[in-house]
Amino acid sequence: MKTLRGLLGIDTQREQYAYADDAHAGYVSVQRLADRWVKTTCGYCSVGCGMSLGIRGDKAVAARGNPDHPVNSGKLCPKGLAEHHAISAPGRATHPMLRRNGDWSRVSWETAIETMAAEFRRIQERYGKDAIGVIGTGQLVTEEFYTLGKLVQLGLGTPHYDGNTTLCMATAVAGYKRSFGSDGPPGAYEDFALADVILLLGANIAENHPILCRHLDANPRKTLIVADPRVTKTAMMADLYLPLRPRSDLALLNGIAHLVIREGFVDRAYIDAHTEGYAELCAFLERYTPEYVSEITGLTPTKLHQVAVLYGRSKRGMIAWTMGVNHSSIGVETVNAINNLALLTGNIGRPGASPFSITGQCNAMGTREAGFTSSLPGYRKFESEADRAELAALWRVPVERIPAARGLAYPDIIEAALAKKIRGLWIIATNPVVSFPNRDVLRQALDNLEFLVVQDGFHPTPTSELADLVLPAATWGEKEGTYTNSERRVSKVNRAVAAPGEARPDFDIFLAVARQLGCADELFPGWSSPREAFDEWRHVSGGRLCDYSGITYELLEQHGGIQWPYPADTIEDPGAARRLYADGQFQTETGRARLICGEWKPFPEQPSSDFPLVLNTGRTVEHWHTRTKTGAIPILDTLSPRAWLEMNPRDARALGLRPHERVDVLSARGAVRRVELRITEIVAPGQVFMPFHFVEWNVNAVTQSEFDPVSREPNYKQCAVRVETSAGANS
Ligand code: SF4
């Protein structure tokens, strides 16, 4: 009938393309017409955009930016604009699923939780308490991180809990701790608008944190310097672009510091009053002459001098970074070198002046603050007797139950599973089969487990397919709590619709596990909603650097986000920008920041005759991590449906490759087959680039098991590969 009407020229799409007026959104497609709007915070990246979800009946039908939110003033990037589709995307996990003798069967929640507790108990009785590991995420709400941390450490009694934040921000965390004595990004987004010089290092914000570009645009006076081996969209925005060689950033930073000292751009009064290690750093940096640094970075001595003069003379200098720095086996030392520059020039704790890590996931900051992974809750230190005693007193538990050292980090949990020391694993809202480096080793580790629980909003995923038990979780839009963004701004996340089927908020799942383990009354007395967890967390964070004690859900709703520290007696405007270390007092024993010497080293796997190209990995604006959500959203998938490999024309000519043909990417560990080739000057000769989102072209089949020795973050960014035409590429 439709075809006949179409043949007769009758408009068959009228209903689909009809428009109507929405009181909030204006003239919109009727498909996006909402009966009500629920304010919340974006659940993808750490920019933390405020938004509203449009709901019609029981369905999310639209998303729009919150014009009053201080982060995004109503704007959203493509992922945020399509975020309502993620809730009703195909592939949601709707019922607990148990695998018995290789076959999946649907089970009740009661059976699921009983089975999980019984299996974990069995493993712990046989192999010891720490034979259980937990790998979390940066995408739960802070209330869930706080609850999970207590449950794992005090309930399950294993210290081996970490999150996929170690694949992302652990380097920044460890770098801050070494330089300043504590985690916590010192600056504010306002600094992008106030700085006179901004150096973006390994940070492609135009692709990965697009709304931050609006903060840059608000600053017409700035000089923007972008250092990146690849001519990214962000590099194209730069006043001065530095095409440095892969992983030469630490040498670049040491070289700038050398020149800043030599040319007298240092702030001696600040150094003398607030830092330690200056004499040692000066002696160490002597060898980082422009000539030496030029050999390593490929940048001319003149260019290095230009950068040192720009940053050294700036009144308000900002250095921001993301994965180009973090995904490195010398990442922590690179972060320390960034912090050195800020300290040498007094560019910290003032408007427009900060070293600033741009975080990855929407609430990676929340797990750093409240979780139990790299620090005890409230950035307390595992190794501090006083911190442990304080926490034990707050929780009214014997101090012996608070671990005196952190458990295994994520890569070490995988190593322990490989060695059969970890026998049971609980993976929450993450997809390591796609995201962890050196995929085949990871697969072997998961195969070695006796019991694998995967808790996720989606099933099947490449990881949940391997599970013994799948726990279906509510996702963003279906639960309540708070996120903290990159500038330490806490924002409210709200439930707008019910979760599908029997899926439950992660918070409820944690309480159910606690009840089954018999520790709910002790650890979570009377808790039934995230508000109770938030109230306890406010109390536990009181007096700490990340002080939430003055923040309430009501204040967050009113102000669209508040930056911590926000103690209970705060009288200033909740919406005002706040910075850490404005008083020059740091969280070290002496109160002084540490200037740290970090020696540049070449990246671990150098190109060879068998594998002559350096592979870089990264992201594209349309997708989020492993595409569990964005791959199921038609508009985003259509915009970017497949992975590609970027190669310089010179290399393509030498290899006889043509644009858009299918190629194989091979390393000493594995291969990615039939990737579309893009021949482009965006990458330099000798380098190739691939996005990491796609399971179908999983770049982690070729990446390596190399990790920063301090943060344990993987060296994703450089590995040696060769590229060949795929078999049957032209068929
Ligand atoms: S920039 Fe980040 S927080 Fe903002 S809409 Fe996009 S994904 Fe969401």
Side-chain angles (χ1 to χ4, degrees):
M1 178 59 100
K2 228 175 184 179
T3 319
L4 178 62
R5 292 179 65 203
L7 284 171
L8 292 172
I10 297 168
D11 183 0
T12 57
Q13 307 284 312
R14 187 186 306 163
E15 280 167 28
Q16 194 180 342
Y17 293 110
Y19 276 73
D21 262 325
D22 178 276
H24 291 279
Y27 198 52
V28 295
S29 159
V30 287
Q31 305 205 24
R32 293 164 56 89
L33 207 56
D35 321 320
R36 61 195 170 92
W37 290 87
V38 178
K39 277 191 186 168
T40 190
T41 307
C42 179
Y44 286 118
C45 91
S46 69
V47 174
C49 295
M51 62 196 297
S52 295
L53 255 178
I55 310 299
R56 187 167 68 240
D58 58 359
K59 201 166 178 288
V61 292
R64 68 188 187 101
N66 175 356
D68 303 322
H69 199 277
V71 164
N72 56 315
S73 308
K75 306 293 180 212
L76 295 174
C77 82
K79 286 192 287 290
L81 281 169
E83 200 161 1
H84 55 289
H85 291 299
I87 296 173
S88 51
R92 290 293 310 275
T94 51
H95 300 278
M97 302 292 290
L98 185 62
R99 194 200 295 270
R100 290 185 179 115
N101 304 320
D103 294 323
W104 288 109
S105 58
R106 192 170 138 178
V107 293
S108 67
W109 269 106
E110 208 177 23
T111 303
I113 300 293
E114 273 173 17
T115 307
M116 175 180 173
E119 283 293 324
F120 279 8
R121 258 194 219 113
R122 176 187 67 74
I123 289 169
Q124 289 187 310
E125 275 161 19
R126 181 149 183 215
Y127 305 107
K129 286 256 181 201
D130 55 5
I132 297 294
V134 180
I135 293 174
T137 174
Q139 294 193 253
L140 304 185
V141 292
T142 298
E143 292 77 350
E144 290 168 341
F145 287 133
Y146 181 71
T147 308
L148 178 64
K150 273 182 102 174
L151 172 63
V152 173
Q153 303 280 354
L154 306 187
L156 274 170
T158 175
H160 303 320
Y161 163 44
D162 200 9
N164 67 7
T165 45
T166 290
L167 309 185
C168 176
M169 293 311 296
T171 290
V173 173
Y176 283 141
K177 283 184 185 175
R178 291 210 322 174
S179 295
F180 307 141
S182 172
D183 185 16
Y189 291 166
E190 196 185 68
D191 296 334
F192 285 109
L194 297 176
D196 45 29
V197 170
I198 300 168
L199 169 58
L200 287 178
L201 193 60
N204 184 9
I205 61 169
E207 199 90 58
N208 306 323
H209 302 88
I211 296 298
L212 288 186
C213 295
R214 299 189 60 80
H215 292 262
L216 277 178
D217 288 347
N219 182 350
R221 301 166 309 280
K222 67 182 180 297
T223 300
L224 178 64
I225 308 169
V226 175
D228 201 303
R230 183 167 165 253
V231 194
T232 60
K233 289 175 188 164
T234 310
M236 293 176 200
M237 292 159 44
D239 299 296
L240 176 61
Y241 168 52
L242 306 176
L244 77 176
R245 292 200 181 111
R247 234 283 287 274
S248 61
D249 41 11
L250 178 53
L252 171 69
L253 293 159
N254 281 343
I256 299 171
H258 170 104
L259 286 167
V260 160
I261 292 167
R262 196 173 87 184
E263 302 297 328
F265 296 133
V266 293
D267 182 341
R268 261 328 278 259
Y270 190 90
I271 293 167
D272 291 345
H274 302 300
T275 72
E276 56 196 21
Y278 181 59
E280 294 85 339
L281 184 68
C282 288
F284 166 77
L285 289 174
E286 268 175 25
R287 62 181 165 280
Y288 283 87
T289 60
E291 293 69 29
Y292 175 56
V293 173
S294 175
E295 272 172 38
I296 298 168
T297 60
L299 304 171
T300 62
T302 312
K303 189 88 76 179
L304 296 169
H305 205 264
Q306 192 183 356
V307 178
V309 169
L310 278 168
Y311 184 75
R313 286 202 179 135
S314 67
K315 299 272 180 294
R316 296 167 164 195
M318 179 178 193
I319 307 179
W321 77 93
T322 65
M323 299 311 143
V325 169
N326 289 345
H327 281 170
S328 158
S329 56
I330 51 169
V332 174
E333 283 159 327
T334 310
V335 171
N336 292 140
I338 292 170
N339 295 339
N340 286 349
L341 270 175
L343 293 165
L344 288 171
T345 52
N347 274 311
I348 185 165
R350 292 186 290 110
S354 64
F356 192 72
S357 55
I358 304 168
T359 309
Q361 301 182 67
C362 56
N363 200 26
M365 286 284 292
T367 187
R368 285 155 64 173
E369 296 153 7
F372 240 114
T373 53
S374 59
S375 304
L376 295 168
Y379 291 157
R380 290 176 176 86
K381 299 178 174 77
F382 286 101
E383 63 277 15
S384 162
E385 214 177 311
D387 284 358
R388 294 198 305 276
E390 186 183 46
L391 197 59
L394 283 163
W395 285 344
R396 299 193 186 91
V397 297
V399 70
E400 300 71 42
R401 288 180 66 190
I402 311 288
R406 78 168 285 184
L408 296 174
Y410 187 161
D412 305 308
I413 291 176
I414 300 302
E415 276 296 316
L418 206 58
K420 300 195 175 181
K421 290 183 180 147
I422 295 274
R423 301 278 184 152
L425 189 60
W426 184 8
I427 296 178
I428 302 160
T430 187
N431 191 9
V433 169
V434 186
S435 58
F436 196 76
N438 203 350
R439 180 198 58 192
D440 290 352
V441 171
L442 181 274
R443 285 291 301 258
Q444 182 61 55
L446 297 185
D447 285 350
N448 282 2
L449 294 168
E450 292 186 17
F451 202 71
L452 172 62
V453 181
V454 174
Q455 179 171 321
D456 206 294
F458 289 78
H459 175 67
T461 68
T463 303
S464 75
E465 275 176 342
L466 307 176
D468 297 289
L469 175 68
V470 173
L471 302 177
T475 64
W476 175 88
E478 297 164 349
K479 58 185 187 175
E480 183 183 30
T482 52
Y483 291 157
T484 313
N485 74 357
S486 290
E487 60 164 352
R488 313 180 323 279
R489 186 178 298 276
V490 183
S491 290
K492 190 78 200 316
V493 177
N494 285 317
R495 179 181 185 274
V497 292
E502 294 176 11
R504 291 182 180 176
D506 297 273
F507 181 79
D508 293 1
I509 299 173
F510 300 149
L511 289 192
V513 173
R515 281 193 289 274
Q516 189 65 35
L517 292 172
C519 59
D521 289 342
E522 182 199 22
L523 302 180
F524 314 117
W527 288 19
S528 60
S529 74
R531 189 182 278 269
E532 281 108 35
F534 189 72
D535 284 343
E536 186 176 301
W537 163 237
R538 289 172 59 209
H539 184 55
V540 165
S541 69
R544 306 294 305 173
L545 189 69
C546 52
D547 192 331
Y548 275 58
S549 56
I551 299 178
T552 62
Y553 278 3
E554 289 69 27
L555 267 184
L556 292 177
E557 297 284 10
Q558 203 181 326
H559 295 279
I562 297 174
Q563 277 185 287
W564 60 253
Y566 196 81
D569 55 1
T570 306
I571 47 166
E572 40 174 279
D573 173 13
R578 285 179 188 75
R579 292 168 186 84
L580 303 182
Y581 312 126
D583 58 359
Q585 282 300 303
F586 292 87
Q587 297 282 306
T588 55
E589 293 72 33
T590 59
R592 288 170 173 269
R594 302 181 193 110
L595 293 164
I596 294 170
C597 308
E599 194 78 84
W600 172 82
K601 296 176 206 75
F603 55 84
E605 188 178 62
Q606 292 291 313
S608 62
S609 51
D610 283 343
F611 302 105
L613 298 163
V614 180
L615 173 68
N616 182 7
T617 67
R619 292 174 272 181
T620 183
V621 68
E622 295 86 4
H623 287 302
W624 178 249
H625 285 195
T626 62
R627 291 172 81 246
T628 308
K629 289 182 189 172
T630 53
I633 297 176
I635 189 167
L636 298 175
D637 194 48
T638 305
L639 286 167
S640 181
R642 69 181 79 87
W644 67 91
L645 182 85
E646 290 170 7
M647 178 181 279
N648 187 273
R650 206 167 85 185
D651 291 324
R653 262 195 310 277
L655 292 167
L657 299 173
R658 286 169 297 121
H660 306 297
E661 75 171 284
R662 296 294 186 264
V663 293
D664 295 347
V665 183
L666 301 99
S667 77
R669 293 157 293 282
V672 194
R673 307 278 178 196
R674 299 188 65 79
V675 190
E676 179 193 338
L677 180 69
R678 292 187 186 169
I679 299 178
T680 168
E681 302 274 359
I682 285 172
V683 290
Q687 300 172 34
V688 287
F689 170 87
M690 240 188 100
F692 63 54
H693 307 287
F694 296 83
V695 64
E696 305 86 342
W697 300 273
N698 187 348
V699 76
N700 285 315
V702 298
T703 54
Q704 64 201 309
S705 301
E706 280 290 339
F707 304 94
D708 183 288
V710 182
S711 71
R712 308 303 288 140
E713 185 146 344
N715 194 103
Y716 281 111
K717 286 288 182 186
Q718 307 87 22
C719 71
V721 297
R722 76 168 175 270
V723 175
E724 299 172 348
T725 301
S726 301
N730 300 319
S731 58

